[in-house]
Amino acid sequence: MNRLISISTYILALLWALPFFGIVFMAFKDASAQGYSLTFKNFIDAWNAAPFGQYYLNTLIIVFVILGVQLLTITLAAYAFARMNFFAQGFIFMLFLVQIMIPSDVLIFPNSNTIAQLGIYDTKLAIMIPYFISAFGIFLLRQTFKGVPYELEEAAKMEGCSRLQIIRNVYVPLAKPTYVAFGLISVSTQWSNFLWPLIITDSDENRPLTVGLSMFAKASDSGAQWGVVCAGTLFIILPLLLAFLLFQKQFVSSFMQSGIK
């Protein structure tokens, strides 16, 4: 039985990876040569055909500004729900949990109307602002904070620490694995986010990599050149792939310690 499960796992893993193998195969294939000939020309053509440098810069700004603001908001909100008492605390927390159940695609129309009324359409801020608060992150961190012994907070109060100092010196260090796990989820989600940036941007100055690749693939001079399009696709997935290969053990360790399996 165990052998059957192992074989099934390998088959499913191979099927899952087939599209990636196909992209790598096409990206390095010289379309003008007979048979298969290895070439890097597709990468040079893709890089020169679209402003991928600008797309990379836009993506890095969007991903890490969102992550920075999220870490601040989820920390304060999680502490409030875990350690403070206020009116309708349980009801408000349930509203946050309901937000996890709502698909983000449902909110695209009201969010785009709000962005238009704010006058920030086609800006990086318009891409980032709906993701500054994460209900999942608040829930994840609240559960971690509730596991921190309350005696540590009492001891910090006796030492004269303010509430913000207690959060920074007691709760944040003890929740480091949870922060790492949430950071991985946030970065990978925002790096591959496509639909919202596609709707809210019109210019290359603000487009992330995913939308830039879509515009590049639809261009008339590159639409039929699958080798060039696959090379452009590798530009997008390569940073996350390298990060996973280099820090695989740390990734798994952080998820295990934070209770995510």
Side-chain angles (χ1 to χ4, degrees):
M1 186 63 182
N2 290 335
R3 188 174 181 180
L4 179 61
I5 293 175
S6 298
I7 294 174
S8 302
T9 302
Y10 285 124
I11 292 175
L12 290 175
L14 181 62
L15 291 175
W16 180 82
L18 275 180
F20 174 72
F21 293 148
I23 290 174
V24 174
F25 179 84
M26 292 298 298
F28 288 97
K29 185 178 186 300
D30 187 354
S32 61
Q34 294 293 330
Y36 188 85
S37 178
L38 185 67
T39 181
F40 292 95
K41 184 174 180 299
N42 293 328
F43 292 92
I44 298 173
D45 291 343
W47 188 266
N48 293 329
F52 278 102
Q54 181 69 51
Y55 296 155
Y56 263 111
L57 178 62
N58 296 341
T59 303
L60 290 173
I61 293 173
I62 292 168
V63 167
F64 287 105
V65 170
I66 289 176
L67 178 61
V69 176
Q70 281 181 335
L71 291 180
L72 177 63
T73 56
I74 68 171
T75 298
L76 298 178
Y79 177 82
F81 285 122
R83 293 304 191 198
M84 298 176 68
N85 294 315
F86 51 89
F87 176 73
Q89 181 186 26
F91 176 72
I92 296 174
F93 183 65
M94 285 300 298
L95 292 180
F96 273 87
L97 293 184
V98 169
Q99 185 188 348
I100 300 176
M101 310 297 176
I102 300 175
S104 59
D105 294 350
V106 176
L107 303 175
I108 284 180
F109 181 70
N111 283 345
S112 60
N113 277 343
T114 304
I115 293 298
Q117 291 173 4
L118 292 174
I120 56 174
Y121 183 81
D122 193 23
T123 63
K124 295 181 184 63
L125 180 61
I127 300 175
M128 296 185 289
I129 200 168
Y131 301 100
F132 279 164
I133 298 177
S134 169
F136 170 73
I138 293 171
F139 170 74
L140 187 66
L141 204 55
R142 171 186 177 269
Q143 300 306 109
T144 303
F145 283 176
K146 288 180 75 71
V148 176
Y150 191 71
E151 289 77 9
L152 294 177
E153 181 172 343
E154 290 294 321
K157 287 180 180 176
M158 293 180 66
E159 293 292 332
C161 292
S162 65
R163 197 180 295 275
L164 289 178
Q165 288 175 323
I166 292 172
I167 294 174
R168 186 183 63 190
N169 298 324
V170 176
Y171 287 94
V172 172
L174 293 175
K176 186 178 177 182
T178 303
Y179 281 111
V180 174
F182 174 76
L184 296 174
I185 295 172
S186 175
V187 169
S188 61
T189 300
Q190 299 304 327
W191 190 278
S192 58
N193 193 9
F194 171 72
L195 187 57
W196 174 247
L198 175 67
I199 292 173
I200 214 67
T201 58
D202 282 333
S203 62
D204 288 334
E205 287 74 19
N206 296 303
R207 283 175 180 150
L209 278 167
T210 50
V211 180
L213 176 65
S214 174
M215 297 296 108
F216 167 67
K218 289 179 181 177
S220 58
D221 57 345
S222 63
Q225 302 177 24
W226 291 111
V228 179
V229 173
C230 289
T233 304
L234 283 183
F235 285 149
I236 295 179
I237 63 178
L238 194 59
L240 290 182
L241 184 62
L242 290 176
F244 178 76
L245 293 176
L246 290 174
F247 304 106
Q248 185 177 4
K249 290 184 179 179
Q250 289 84 347
F251 285 2
V252 176
S253 175
S254 62
F255 279 106
M256 293 297 291
Q257 291 185 40
S258 61
I260 302 175
K261 298 180 180 179

